[in-house]
Amino acid sequence: MVGPGLYTEIGKKTRDLLYKDYQTDHKFTLTTYTSNGVAVTASSTKKADLILGEIQSQIKNKNMTIDVKANSESNIITTITVDEIATPGLKTILSFAVPDQRSGKVELQYLHDYAGVNASIGLTANPVVNLSAAFGTKAVAVGADISLDTATGNLTKYNAALRFTHEDLVASLNLNNKGDSLTGAYYHKVSELTNTAVGAELTHSFSTNENTLTFGGQHALDPLTVLKARINNSGKASALIQHEWRPKSLVTISAEVDTKTIEKSSKVGIAVALKP
């Protein structure tokens, strides 16, 4: 990434470190490819006593990608993405779900050396319009995220963010929930060789005057195995180990425990993702 990227990428390194791949469900994913290049992915997730299924197909043709996803709730979600349309750095995304007639949305993304802009509008008579933008460089970026409900004329979302990047250090500050919560995040890549990183996130809620602090880190035991762990100020601790037993095929085992009630609250999740 040369420029500031999109607004959603501010603080993403810390969020991925602290939350990505942690789960307490059981999930199995299998991806296959047809002779003409169509990718078909089937997944099943067990949540408590529920089993949720999903099947997704992806077709790529030059600069166009079509994703069709069907789930166990009888929804069919289609996303059409066209890259580099009209001008370099511009991406157009059309998405809609069946049978939800109000789910249609058109989205434009534009990446520049000094700006990243994302605009979307719902395909309804009174749509919700969203605009987010980040300005600056790879080292310093500021951004805002705003949503307007044209039916009521009210702003349903207005957030702001700031990011500083220096070599292996990334610090960000996000004002979310219409200014009600402030999140400071920190990420440090300790070693590129062992993929070792540490990070922390502190969120303060102005309405409740509560603070949530989460620490976490990761370390590669070998080139194919990563160990991650995190803990927050409420006493909840989580850990996972992820092994790539063949290219792009991952086995992830994660566990979560409330250190205040260890015997009653421990949870274990397993995720298996297979690709040819």
mmCIF file of all heavy atoms in Angstrom, residues 63-107:
data_model
loop_
_atom_site.group_PDB
_atom_site.id
_atom_site.type_symbol
_atom_site.label_atom_id
_atom_site.label_comp_id
_atom_site.label_asym_id
_atom_site.label_seq_id
_atom_site.Cartn_x
_atom_site.Cartn_y
_atom_site.Cartn_z
ATOM 1 N N ASN A 63 -11.104 -8.309 -15.685
ATOM 2 C CA ASN A 63 -11.171 -7.432 -14.515
ATOM 3 C C ASN A 63 -12.498 -7.538 -13.765
ATOM 4 O O ASN A 63 -12.819 -6.704 -12.928
ATOM 5 C CB ASN A 63 -10.931 -5.974 -14.921
ATOM 6 C CG ASN A 63 -12.023 -5.454 -15.836
ATOM 7 O OD1 ASN A 63 -12.688 -6.226 -16.522
ATOM 8 N ND2 ASN A 63 -12.212 -4.141 -15.845
ATOM 9 N N MET A 64 -13.276 -8.576 -14.072
ATOM 10 C CA MET A 64 -14.587 -8.741 -13.425
ATOM 11 C C MET A 64 -14.606 -10.007 -12.577
ATOM 12 O O MET A 64 -14.106 -11.057 -12.986
ATOM 13 C CB MET A 64 -15.708 -8.814 -14.468
ATOM 14 C CG MET A 64 -17.100 -9.018 -13.860
ATOM 15 S SD MET A 64 -18.409 -9.127 -15.099
ATOM 16 C CE MET A 64 -18.429 -7.426 -15.692
ATOM 17 N N THR A 65 -15.182 -9.880 -11.374
ATOM 18 C CA THR A 65 -15.347 -11.021 -10.474
ATOM 19 C C THR A 65 -16.802 -11.107 -10.045
ATOM 20 O O THR A 65 -17.389 -10.107 -9.624
ATOM 21 C CB THR A 65 -14.455 -10.875 -9.226
ATOM 22 O OG1 THR A 65 -13.091 -10.740 -9.616
ATOM 23 C CG2 THR A 65 -14.599 -12.085 -8.322
ATOM 24 N N ILE A 66 -17.375 -12.298 -10.147
ATOM 25 C CA ILE A 66 -18.766 -12.521 -9.751
ATOM 26 C C ILE A 66 -18.782 -13.555 -8.631
ATOM 27 O O ILE A 66 -18.284 -14.670 -8.789
ATOM 28 C CB ILE A 66 -19.632 -12.999 -10.924
ATOM 29 C CG1 ILE A 66 -19.614 -11.970 -12.064
ATOM 30 C CG2 ILE A 66 -21.063 -13.251 -10.460
ATOM 31 C CD1 ILE A 66 -20.359 -12.423 -13.296
ATOM 32 N N ASP A 67 -19.355 -13.159 -7.489
ATOM 33 C CA ASP A 67 -19.509 -14.053 -6.346
ATOM 34 C C ASP A 67 -20.990 -14.316 -6.119
ATOM 35 O O ASP A 67 -21.780 -13.366 -6.017
ATOM 36 C CB ASP A 67 -18.915 -13.433 -5.082
ATOM 37 C CG ASP A 67 -17.403 -13.530 -5.048
ATOM 38 O OD1 ASP A 67 -16.903 -14.633 -4.804
ATOM 39 O OD2 ASP A 67 -16.737 -12.495 -5.252
ATOM 40 N N VAL A 68 -21.356 -15.584 -5.999
ATOM 41 C CA VAL A 68 -22.728 -15.961 -5.674
ATOM 42 C C VAL A 68 -22.677 -16.864 -4.451
ATOM 43 O O VAL A 68 -21.973 -17.869 -4.439
ATOM 44 C CB VAL A 68 -23.423 -16.684 -6.842
ATOM 45 C CG1 VAL A 68 -24.855 -17.060 -6.451
ATOM 46 C CG2 VAL A 68 -23.433 -15.811 -8.091
ATOM 47 N N LYS A 69 -23.439 -16.472 -3.423
ATOM 48 C CA LYS A 69 -23.393 -17.193 -2.151
ATOM 49 C C LYS A 69 -24.806 -17.547 -1.718
ATOM 50 O O LYS A 69 -25.703 -16.707 -1.746
ATOM 51 C CB LYS A 69 -22.722 -16.320 -1.091
ATOM 52 C CG LYS A 69 -22.541 -16.977 0.265
ATOM 53 C CD LYS A 69 -22.053 -15.962 1.292
ATOM 54 C CE LYS A 69 -20.755 -15.304 0.849
ATOM 55 N NZ LYS A 69 -20.270 -14.353 1.902
ATOM 56 N N ALA A 70 -25.009 -18.805 -1.335
ATOM 57 C CA ALA A 70 -26.300 -19.271 -0.821
ATOM 58 C C ALA A 70 -26.088 -19.848 0.568
ATOM 59 O O ALA A 70 -25.117 -20.581 0.796
ATOM 60 C CB ALA A 70 -26.908 -20.312 -1.746
ATOM 61 N N ASN A 71 -26.982 -19.503 1.509
ATOM 62 C CA ASN A 71 -26.819 -20.001 2.870
ATOM 63 C C ASN A 71 -28.039 -20.795 3.316
ATOM 64 O O ASN A 71 -29.032 -20.908 2.597
ATOM 65 C CB ASN A 71 -26.522 -18.851 3.844
ATOM 66 C CG ASN A 71 -27.612 -17.789 3.837
ATOM 67 O OD1 ASN A 71 -28.795 -18.082 3.659
ATOM 68 N ND2 ASN A 71 -27.220 -16.538 4.057
ATOM 69 N N SER A 72 -27.949 -21.342 4.518
ATOM 70 C CA SER A 72 -29.008 -22.208 5.032
ATOM 71 C C SER A 72 -30.262 -21.441 5.406
ATOM 72 O O SER A 72 -31.284 -22.049 5.733
ATOM 73 C CB SER A 72 -28.495 -22.995 6.245
ATOM 74 O OG SER A 72 -27.972 -22.123 7.221
ATOM 75 N N GLU A 73 -30.222 -20.107 5.378
ATOM 76 C CA GLU A 73 -31.400 -19.293 5.644
ATOM 77 C C GLU A 73 -32.143 -18.941 4.355
ATOM 78 O O GLU A 73 -32.983 -18.036 4.332
ATOM 79 C CB GLU A 73 -30.987 -18.012 6.370
ATOM 80 C CG GLU A 73 -30.373 -18.285 7.738
ATOM 81 C CD GLU A 73 -29.903 -17.009 8.410
ATOM 82 O OE1 GLU A 73 -29.816 -15.969 7.724
ATOM 83 O OE2 GLU A 73 -29.625 -17.066 9.611
ATOM 84 N N SER A 74 -31.823 -19.636 3.268
ATOM 85 C CA SER A 74 -32.481 -19.478 1.960
ATOM 86 C C SER A 74 -32.227 -18.112 1.338
ATOM 87 O O SER A 74 -33.064 -17.593 0.592
ATOM 88 C CB SER A 74 -33.997 -19.728 2.076
ATOM 89 O OG SER A 74 -34.250 -21.028 2.562
ATOM 90 N N ASN A 75 -31.094 -17.514 1.650
ATOM 91 C CA ASN A 75 -30.700 -16.258 1.028
ATOM 92 C C ASN A 75 -29.662 -16.514 -0.054
ATOM 93 O O ASN A 75 -28.760 -17.335 0.127
ATOM 94 C CB ASN A 75 -30.120 -15.288 2.063
ATOM 95 C CG ASN A 75 -31.144 -14.850 3.079
ATOM 96 O OD1 ASN A 75 -32.297 -14.606 2.744
ATOM 97 N ND2 ASN A 75 -30.743 -14.756 4.341
ATOM 98 N N ILE A 76 -29.790 -15.812 -1.154
ATOM 99 C CA ILE A 76 -28.801 -15.882 -2.234
ATOM 100 C C ILE A 76 -28.217 -14.484 -2.413
ATOM 101 O O ILE A 76 -28.930 -13.535 -2.746
ATOM 102 C CB ILE A 76 -29.423 -16.378 -3.553
ATOM 103 C CG1 ILE A 76 -30.021 -17.771 -3.366
ATOM 104 C CG2 ILE A 76 -28.381 -16.390 -4.659
ATOM 105 C CD1 ILE A 76 -30.752 -18.285 -4.592
ATOM 106 N N ILE A 77 -26.931 -14.357 -2.167
ATOM 107 C CA ILE A 77 -26.255 -13.061 -2.194
ATOM 108 C C ILE A 77 -25.297 -13.028 -3.379
ATOM 109 O O ILE A 77 -24.442 -13.902 -3.530
ATOM 110 C CB ILE A 77 -25.488 -12.827 -0.883
ATOM 111 C CG1 ILE A 77 -26.449 -12.957 0.307
ATOM 112 C CG2 ILE A 77 -24.824 -11.457 -0.880
ATOM 113 C CD1 ILE A 77 -25.758 -13.083 1.638
ATOM 114 N N THR A 78 -25.454 -12.033 -4.225
ATOM 115 C CA THR A 78 -24.625 -11.894 -5.419
ATOM 116 C C THR A 78 -23.828 -10.596 -5.341
ATOM 117 O O THR A 78 -24.370 -9.542 -5.027
ATOM 118 C CB THR A 78 -25.482 -11.889 -6.695
ATOM 119 O OG1 THR A 78 -26.247 -13.095 -6.752
ATOM 120 C CG2 THR A 78 -24.607 -11.784 -7.936
ATOM 121 N N THR A 79 -22.540 -10.686 -5.626
ATOM 122 C CA THR A 79 -21.662 -9.516 -5.639
ATOM 123 C C THR A 79 -20.876 -9.509 -6.942
ATOM 124 O O THR A 79 -20.220 -10.497 -7.283
ATOM 125 C CB THR A 79 -20.680 -9.534 -4.453
ATOM 126 O OG1 THR A 79 -21.411 -9.628 -3.228
ATOM 127 C CG2 THR A 79 -19.829 -8.268 -4.432
ATOM 128 N N ILE A 80 -20.951 -8.403 -7.668
ATOM 129 C CA ILE A 80 -20.229 -8.240 -8.935
ATOM 130 C C ILE A 80 -19.219 -7.109 -8.758
ATOM 131 O O ILE A 80 -19.589 -5.983 -8.427
ATOM 132 C CB ILE A 80 -21.193 -7.919 -10.094
ATOM 133 C CG1 ILE A 80 -22.239 -9.035 -10.229
ATOM 134 C CG2 ILE A 80 -20.421 -7.745 -11.402
ATOM 135 C CD1 ILE A 80 -23.339 -8.706 -11.219
ATOM 136 N N THR A 81 -17.948 -7.419 -8.966
ATOM 137 C CA THR A 81 -16.872 -6.445 -8.777
ATOM 138 C C THR A 81 -16.134 -6.241 -10.087
ATOM 139 O O THR A 81 -15.731 -7.215 -10.736
ATOM 140 C CB THR A 81 -15.880 -6.927 -7.705
ATOM 141 O OG1 THR A 81 -16.582 -7.199 -6.489
ATOM 142 C CG2 THR A 81 -14.813 -5.874 -7.441
ATOM 143 N N VAL A 82 -15.956 -4.971 -10.464
ATOM 144 C CA VAL A 82 -15.207 -4.633 -11.678
ATOM 145 C C VAL A 82 -14.040 -3.742 -11.272
ATOM 146 O O VAL A 82 -14.227 -2.652 -10.734
ATOM 147 C CB VAL A 82 -16.090 -3.906 -12.713
ATOM 148 C CG1 VAL A 82 -15.292 -3.628 -13.985
ATOM 149 C CG2 VAL A 82 -17.324 -4.735 -13.040
ATOM 150 N N ASP A 83 -12.816 -4.210 -11.521
ATOM 151 C CA ASP A 83 -11.612 -3.472 -11.165
ATOM 152 C C ASP A 83 -11.150 -2.579 -12.305
ATOM 153 O O ASP A 83 -11.364 -2.888 -13.488
ATOM 154 C CB ASP A 83 -10.477 -4.432 -10.800
ATOM 155 C CG ASP A 83 -10.738 -5.133 -9.479
ATOM 156 O OD1 ASP A 83 -11.092 -4.453 -8.508
ATOM 157 O OD2 ASP A 83 -10.595 -6.371 -9.433
ATOM 158 N N GLU A 84 -10.480 -1.498 -11.935
ATOM 159 C CA GLU A 84 -9.842 -0.596 -12.898
ATOM 160 C C GLU A 84 -10.814 -0.167 -13.995
ATOM 161 O O GLU A 84 -10.479 -0.173 -15.185
ATOM 162 C CB GLU A 84 -8.604 -1.265 -13.522
ATOM 163 C CG GLU A 84 -7.581 -1.755 -12.517
ATOM 164 C CD GLU A 84 -6.873 -0.614 -11.817
ATOM 165 O OE1 GLU A 84 -6.687 0.444 -12.427
ATOM 166 O OE2 GLU A 84 -6.503 -0.794 -10.641
ATOM 167 N N ILE A 85 -12.018 0.209 -13.602
ATOM 168 C CA ILE A 85 -13.005 0.631 -14.589
ATOM 169 C C ILE A 85 -12.859 2.136 -14.845
ATOM 170 O O ILE A 85 -12.796 2.929 -13.922
ATOM 171 C CB ILE A 85 -14.442 0.291 -14.117
ATOM 172 C CG1 ILE A 85 -15.450 0.650 -15.207
ATOM 173 C CG2 ILE A 85 -14.782 0.968 -12.812
ATOM 174 C CD1 ILE A 85 -16.853 0.172 -14.909
ATOM 175 N N ALA A 86 -12.788 2.516 -16.079
ATOM 176 C CA ALA A 86 -12.703 3.923 -16.519
ATOM 177 C C ALA A 86 -11.355 4.560 -16.203
ATOM 178 O O ALA A 86 -10.761 5.239 -17.038
ATOM 179 C CB ALA A 86 -13.829 4.765 -15.945
ATOM 180 N N THR A 87 -10.837 4.342 -14.984
ATOM 181 C CA THR A 87 -9.571 4.961 -14.594
ATOM 182 C C THR A 87 -8.834 4.052 -13.615
ATOM 183 O O THR A 87 -9.473 3.320 -12.846
ATOM 184 C CB THR A 87 -9.819 6.339 -13.949
ATOM 185 O OG1 THR A 87 -8.573 6.962 -13.647
ATOM 186 C CG2 THR A 87 -10.618 6.210 -12.677
ATOM 187 N N PRO A 88 -7.514 4.058 -13.611
ATOM 188 C CA PRO A 88 -6.759 3.214 -12.672
ATOM 189 C C PRO A 88 -7.100 3.556 -11.225
ATOM 190 O O PRO A 88 -7.238 4.712 -10.852
ATOM 191 C CB PRO A 88 -5.296 3.566 -12.989
ATOM 192 C CG PRO A 88 -5.320 4.037 -14.404
ATOM 193 C CD PRO A 88 -6.627 4.748 -14.569
ATOM 194 N N GLY A 89 -7.245 2.530 -10.409
ATOM 195 C CA GLY A 89 -7.547 2.713 -8.996
ATOM 196 C C GLY A 89 -9.017 2.742 -8.659
ATOM 197 O O GLY A 89 -9.388 2.781 -7.482
ATOM 198 N N LEU A 90 -9.892 2.706 -9.661
ATOM 199 C CA LEU A 90 -11.339 2.775 -9.430
ATOM 200 C C LEU A 90 -11.949 1.378 -9.508
ATOM 201 O O LEU A 90 -11.729 0.639 -10.457
ATOM 202 C CB LEU A 90 -12.002 3.686 -10.465
ATOM 203 C CG LEU A 90 -13.521 3.869 -10.332
ATOM 204 C CD1 LEU A 90 -13.869 4.523 -9.003
ATOM 205 C CD2 LEU A 90 -14.056 4.692 -11.501
ATOM 206 N N LYS A 91 -12.724 1.041 -8.499
ATOM 207 C CA LYS A 91 -13.395 -0.253 -8.432
ATOM 208 C C LYS A 91 -14.886 -0.033 -8.230
ATOM 209 O O LYS A 91 -15.303 0.803 -7.426
ATOM 210 C CB LYS A 91 -12.827 -1.090 -7.280
ATOM 211 C CG LYS A 91 -13.494 -2.450 -7.093
ATOM 212 C CD LYS A 91 -13.001 -3.138 -5.845
ATOM 213 C CE LYS A 91 -11.531 -3.507 -5.940
ATOM 214 N NZ LYS A 91 -11.098 -4.309 -4.761
ATOM 215 N N THR A 92 -15.713 -0.786 -8.975
ATOM 216 C CA THR A 92 -17.164 -0.711 -8.852
ATOM 217 C C THR A 92 -17.696 -2.035 -8.335
ATOM 218 O O THR A 92 -17.317 -3.101 -8.825
ATOM 219 C CB THR A 92 -17.819 -0.390 -10.207
ATOM 220 O OG1 THR A 92 -17.273 0.825 -10.720
ATOM 221 C CG2 THR A 92 -19.317 -0.238 -10.055
ATOM 222 N N ILE A 93 -18.596 -1.958 -7.337
ATOM 223 C CA ILE A 93 -19.141 -3.162 -6.715
ATOM 224 C C ILE A 93 -20.669 -3.056 -6.686
ATOM 225 O O ILE A 93 -21.224 -2.077 -6.189
ATOM 226 C CB ILE A 93 -18.616 -3.355 -5.284
ATOM 227 C CG1 ILE A 93 -17.087 -3.395 -5.277
ATOM 228 C CG2 ILE A 93 -19.186 -4.631 -4.667
ATOM 229 C CD1 ILE A 93 -16.488 -3.346 -3.884
ATOM 230 N N LEU A 94 -21.337 -4.062 -7.242
ATOM 231 C CA LEU A 94 -22.793 -4.163 -7.201
ATOM 232 C C LEU A 94 -23.151 -5.401 -6.395
ATOM 233 O O LEU A 94 -22.656 -6.491 -6.684
ATOM 234 C CB LEU A 94 -23.369 -4.267 -8.610
ATOM 235 C CG LEU A 94 -24.861 -4.608 -8.716
ATOM 236 C CD1 LEU A 94 -25.718 -3.499 -8.121
ATOM 237 C CD2 LEU A 94 -25.258 -4.881 -10.169
ATOM 238 N N SER A 95 -23.994 -5.234 -5.377
ATOM 239 C CA SER A 95 -24.387 -6.378 -4.555
ATOM 240 C C SER A 95 -25.888 -6.353 -4.298
ATOM 241 O O SER A 95 -26.497 -5.286 -4.194
ATOM 242 C CB SER A 95 -23.630 -6.366 -3.218
ATOM 243 O OG SER A 95 -23.917 -5.190 -2.487
ATOM 244 N N PHE A 96 -26.473 -7.532 -4.207
ATOM 245 C CA PHE A 96 -27.894 -7.659 -3.891
ATOM 246 C C PHE A 96 -28.160 -9.061 -3.362
ATOM 247 O O PHE A 96 -27.385 -9.999 -3.616
ATOM 248 C CB PHE A 96 -28.775 -7.380 -5.118
ATOM 249 C CG PHE A 96 -28.455 -8.223 -6.318
ATOM 250 C CD1 PHE A 96 -29.094 -9.438 -6.522
ATOM 251 C CD2 PHE A 96 -27.512 -7.808 -7.246
ATOM 252 C CE1 PHE A 96 -28.808 -10.224 -7.629
ATOM 253 C CE2 PHE A 96 -27.210 -8.582 -8.358
ATOM 254 C CZ PHE A 96 -27.863 -9.792 -8.546
ATOM 255 N N ALA A 97 -29.237 -9.181 -2.605
ATOM 256 C CA ALA A 97 -29.613 -10.463 -2.014
ATOM 257 C C ALA A 97 -31.047 -10.789 -2.371
ATOM 258 O O ALA A 97 -31.904 -9.901 -2.462
ATOM 259 C CB ALA A 97 -29.436 -10.437 -0.498
ATOM 260 N N VAL A 98 -31.313 -12.054 -2.586
ATOM 261 C CA VAL A 98 -32.667 -12.553 -2.868
ATOM 262 C C VAL A 98 -33.065 -13.433 -1.692
ATOM 263 O O VAL A 98 -32.288 -14.295 -1.262
ATOM 264 C CB VAL A 98 -32.673 -13.358 -4.183
ATOM 265 C CG1 VAL A 98 -34.064 -13.942 -4.447
ATOM 266 C CG2 VAL A 98 -32.226 -12.486 -5.347
ATOM 267 N N PRO A 99 -34.256 -13.222 -1.096
ATOM 268 C CA PRO A 99 -35.400 -12.435 -1.586
ATOM 269 C C PRO A 99 -35.491 -11.001 -1.042
ATOM 270 O O PRO A 99 -36.523 -10.355 -1.235
ATOM 271 C CB PRO A 99 -36.580 -13.264 -1.085
ATOM 272 C CG PRO A 99 -36.106 -13.829 0.217
ATOM 273 C CD PRO A 99 -34.637 -14.085 0.047
ATOM 274 N N ASP A 100 -34.496 -10.489 -0.359
ATOM 275 C CA ASP A 100 -34.561 -9.142 0.213
ATOM 276 C C ASP A 100 -34.494 -8.100 -0.902
ATOM 277 O O ASP A 100 -33.431 -7.849 -1.475
ATOM 278 C CB ASP A 100 -33.407 -8.946 1.196
ATOM 279 C CG ASP A 100 -33.503 -7.624 1.943
ATOM 280 O OD1 ASP A 100 -34.450 -6.853 1.662
ATOM 281 O OD2 ASP A 100 -32.648 -7.357 2.795
ATOM 282 N N GLN A 101 -35.623 -7.458 -1.190
ATOM 283 C CA GLN A 101 -35.685 -6.508 -2.289
ATOM 284 C C GLN A 101 -35.031 -5.168 -1.954
ATOM 285 O O GLN A 101 -34.818 -4.343 -2.844
ATOM 286 C CB GLN A 101 -37.145 -6.280 -2.708
ATOM 287 C CG GLN A 101 -37.835 -7.543 -3.212
ATOM 288 C CD GLN A 101 -39.277 -7.282 -3.599
ATOM 289 O OE1 GLN A 101 -39.797 -6.183 -3.451
ATOM 290 N NE2 GLN A 101 -39.936 -8.328 -4.113
ATOM 291 N N ARG A 102 -34.718 -4.926 -0.686
ATOM 292 C CA ARG A 102 -34.104 -3.665 -0.289
ATOM 293 C C ARG A 102 -32.594 -3.794 -0.074
ATOM 294 O O ARG A 102 -31.961 -2.870 0.442
ATOM 295 C CB ARG A 102 -34.754 -3.152 1.005
ATOM 296 C CG ARG A 102 -36.229 -2.824 0.859
ATOM 297 C CD ARG A 102 -36.816 -2.360 2.194
ATOM 298 N NE ARG A 102 -36.050 -1.246 2.766
ATOM 299 C CZ ARG A 102 -36.234 0.022 2.454
ATOM 300 N NH1 ARG A 102 -37.172 0.352 1.561
ATOM 301 N NH2 ARG A 102 -35.517 0.976 3.008
ATOM 302 N N SER A 103 -32.023 -4.905 -0.476
ATOM 303 C CA SER A 103 -30.611 -5.162 -0.184
ATOM 304 C C SER A 103 -29.665 -4.655 -1.265
ATOM 305 O O SER A 103 -28.452 -4.627 -1.062
ATOM 306 C CB SER A 103 -30.386 -6.663 0.002
ATOM 307 O OG SER A 103 -30.688 -7.356 -1.217
ATOM 308 N N GLY A 104 -30.180 -4.255 -2.416
ATOM 309 C CA GLY A 104 -29.321 -3.831 -3.516
ATOM 310 C C GLY A 104 -28.476 -2.614 -3.146
ATOM 311 O O GLY A 104 -28.940 -1.680 -2.493
ATOM 312 N N LYS A 105 -27.223 -2.619 -3.588
ATOM 313 C CA LYS A 105 -26.313 -1.518 -3.269
ATOM 314 C C LYS A 105 -25.247 -1.404 -4.351
ATOM 315 O O LYS A 105 -24.742 -2.402 -4.851
ATOM 316 C CB LYS A 105 -25.662 -1.757 -1.907
ATOM 317 C CG LYS A 105 -24.756 -0.629 -1.441
ATOM 318 C CD LYS A 105 -24.246 -0.871 -0.019
ATOM 319 C CE LYS A 105 -23.251 -2.000 0.022
ATOM 320 N NZ LYS A 105 -22.619 -2.117 1.369
ATOM 321 N N VAL A 106 -24.912 -0.158 -4.697
ATOM 322 C CA VAL A 106 -23.814 0.123 -5.612
ATOM 323 C C VAL A 106 -22.724 0.841 -4.823
ATOM 324 O O VAL A 106 -22.995 1.779 -4.068
ATOM 325 C CB VAL A 106 -24.258 1.001 -6.800
ATOM 326 C CG1 VAL A 106 -23.061 1.394 -7.655
ATOM 327 C CG2 VAL A 106 -25.273 0.263 -7.643
ATOM 328 N N GLU A 107 -21.504 0.387 -5.027
ATOM 329 C CA GLU A 107 -20.378 0.926 -4.255
ATOM 330 C C GLU A 107 -19.226 1.275 -5.190
ATOM 331 O O GLU A 107 -18.924 0.531 -6.130
ATOM 332 C CB GLU A 107 -19.931 -0.127 -3.236
ATOM 333 C CG GLU A 107 -18.854 0.317 -2.284
ATOM 334 C CD GLU A 107 -18.576 -0.744 -1.233
ATOM 335 O OE1 GLU A 107 -19.349 -1.725 -1.151
ATOM 336 O OE2 GLU A 107 -17.583 -0.609 -0.501
#
